């Protein structure tokens, strides 16, 4: 994949995904906002928007489309049906397809939610000398379903999903500060340290993404994750939904700096 | 009004309002979160929630009730129909009543939105030696309807409303920093300086609240205001709505520190 500056512009990266390229998006188009995608029938849109409002750490809403639309002001010219590297299609809470584009699955009643993603603050972490292991390794970030229930909303319920990055102790306060200033990308960590406190039995067996090594001196740090609504879809079984594949985000034109609170 | 410590506990302050006391709430129960209230029929709830999501600076959602409920987890034991000092009742965008309680106006289909309020960060401003003129004067904060359109959502549209506090130049960066860390209470200012840039003709004639003097060396600083949804009700004319009276907020039990991002 081209790592030239022009090749890292959001539009160019989306064009490659539209042409069929796949893979996780961590580290791509640095400085630009990445987004989780979840589309549900309009009949479920209020429950989803309320679920997001009631669970703002995992579900920071960046944009909501009108029913049927596949465009967003966050990425002019983008087609939400084709411009992500990978999608998941859900029927009654069951995964029924994992296609590279969803033009054939789209419905006129779909309302699409774009939620902030922790990949976006990784550029700020790297700039502040906080290492990001899964980028070093060229892997997807490890993600885990915790034992913490989300606050339900209407018919939607489910458990919190988190992403994990190992951080050296001397960089921990920097990592917390840098991410706290981006509440739209999940903000500060939900937990630092023992994964058992979140009901995570084995860091080497993530529920989504790839495992990464945690060195003996490092602290596993957990941030709320935008895969949480997918866990809610699995638990709550709406008749139909389309989501991004975990770690395979929409890359928008919006500058991450736009969302920094200070 | 009692200013003893016990008399400033949120429950005690709400009890006074429930008993019929009125007046703006700036400076009351310092350290606790104050909230704007807007209740609309369930048929309008999605439009309102989407309006808030699309306009997060004026409309930071703290809680949304289920239809008909008059309780909130932000203030256990509170009755949303009686525990604010003043209300406004709207029919088709027209103000039809300004009662001290709305038990007789309540409807089983009302969904109530509680939105963050800039009164909450005034304790942090005072602690950081930023003066708050309307508290010094014992007045309501001045509020203005600007010429900036909000991003519409469904049937809801309207213009941004702001509150204004005069800040000495040497305290401006502190005022910006302290409020930026509270995005749930409108966050950083939307404008500093010439009110004409917001289409405000005369600071001495606020659209809501009371005027305050701006001294020659002071900069008028404008924050997005939770009266914005009231302006949307006036502009968009839903069949029915109940709101707080401007400056007369719900005082919740939630600590302001809970919402500080760092």
């Amino acid at each position: 994949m081209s790592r030239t500056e022009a090749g890292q512009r959001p539009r160019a990266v989306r064009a490659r995904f539209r042409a069929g390229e796949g893979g996780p998006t961590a580290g791509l188009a640095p400085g630009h906002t990445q987004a989780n995608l979840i589309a549900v029938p309009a009949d479920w849109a209020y429950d989803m928007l309320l679920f997001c409002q009631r669970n703002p750490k995992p579900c920071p809403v960046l944009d909501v489309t009108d029913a049927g639309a596949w465009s967003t002001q966050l990425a002019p010219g983008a087609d939400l049906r084709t411009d992500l590297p990978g999608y998941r299609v859900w029927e009654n809470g069951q995964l029924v397809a994992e296609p590279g584009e969803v033009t054939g699955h789209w419905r006129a009643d779909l309302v699409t939610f774009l939620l902030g993603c922790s990949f976006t603050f990784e550029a700020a972490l790297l700039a502040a000398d906080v290492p990001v292991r899964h980028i070093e390794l060229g892997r997807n970030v490890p993600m885990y379903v915790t034992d913490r229930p989300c606050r339900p909303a209407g018919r939607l319920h489910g458990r919190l999903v988190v992403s994990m990055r190992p951080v050296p102790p001397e960089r921990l306060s920097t990592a917390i500060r840098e991410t706290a200033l981006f509440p739209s990308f999940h903000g500060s960590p939900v937990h630092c340290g023992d994964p058992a406190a979140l009901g995570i039995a084995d860091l080497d067996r993530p529920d989504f993404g790839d495992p990464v090594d945690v060195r003996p001196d490092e602290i596993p740090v957990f941030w709320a994750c935008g895969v949480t609504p997918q866990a809610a879809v699995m638990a709550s079984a709406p008749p139909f939904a389309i989501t991004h594949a975990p770690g395979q985000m929409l890359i928008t034109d919006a500058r991450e700096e736009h969302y920094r609170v200070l």
Side-chain angles (χ1 to χ4, degrees), chain A:
Chain A
M1 187 174 286
S2 164
R3 298 278 172 169
T4 64
E5 190 174 332
Q8 285 289 296
R9 284 184 193 135
R11 183 179 297 264
V13 178
R14 292 195 300 266
R16 293 205 303 270
F17 295 144
R18 188 183 296 194
E21 213 172 284
T25 54
L28 298 184
H32 294 89
T33 302
Q34 300 203 18
N36 300 273
L37 179 148
I38 182 154
V40 294
D43 171 48
W44 284 70
Y46 183 71
D47 286 359
M48 181 58 72
L49 190 52
L50 191 61
F51 184 84
C52 293
Q53 188 282 317
R54 289 181 173 171
N55 300 282
K57 291 276 277 193
C59 308
V61 182
L62 303 183
D63 197 21
V64 182
T65 69
D66 293 324
W70 52 77
S71 62
T72 171
Q73 64 173 18
L74 298 176
D79 186 327
L80 297 176
R81 306 167 302 173
T82 60
D83 288 6
L84 282 69
Y87 296 83
R88 290 182 158 186
V89 182
W90 305 83
E91 289 177 8
N92 303 308
Q94 301 294 314
L95 180 64
V96 297
E98 287 197 274
E101 57 95 6
V102 288
T103 310
H105 296 276
W106 206 256
R107 293 170 26 164
D109 67 343
L110 287 182
V111 175
T112 303
F113 296 76
L114 298 173
L115 311 181
C117 171
S118 58
F119 286 173
T120 315
F121 62 53
E122 291 176 343
L125 290 178
L126 292 169
D129 290 326
V130 177
V132 180
R133 182 68 32 78
H134 61 274
I135 292 182
E136 291 169 8
L137 297 171
R139 296 185 189 162
N140 198 350
V141 71
M143 293 164 268
Y144 307 87
V145 181
T146 71
D147 60 4
R148 291 197 189 176
C150 290
R151 194 177 160 200
R155 295 158 289 181
L156 283 172
H157 57 91
R159 287 183 288 161
L160 174 69
V161 179
V162 294
S163 64
M164 189 281 290
R165 292 160 187 80
V167 177
E170 71 276 13
R171 306 310 299 150
L172 184 59
S173 73
T174 299
I176 292 172
R177 183 191 68 228
E178 288 299 312
T179 58
L181 297 178
F182 288 115
S184 292
F185 312 145
H186 307 301
S188 56
V190 294
H191 179 62
C192 305
D194 185 4
L198 294 173
I200 299 170
D202 186 354
L203 287 182
D204 290 332
R205 300 169 66 102
D207 295 290
F208 312 99
D210 303 317
V212 300
D213 55 304
V214 182
R215 296 172 191 158
D217 62 326
E218 290 178 334
I219 298 165
V221 180
F222 301 89
W223 281 269
C225 177
V227 172
T228 300
Q230 290 192 37
V233 163
M234 288 183 242
S236 316
F240 186 76
I242 293 175
T243 69
H244 70 291
Q248 306 196 34
M249 321 307 292
L250 173 69
I251 293 180
T252 79
D253 292 4
R255 290 276 175 189
E256 70 171 50
E257 286 301 313
H258 174 74
Y259 292 100
R260 187 193 286 269
V261 298
L262 188 68

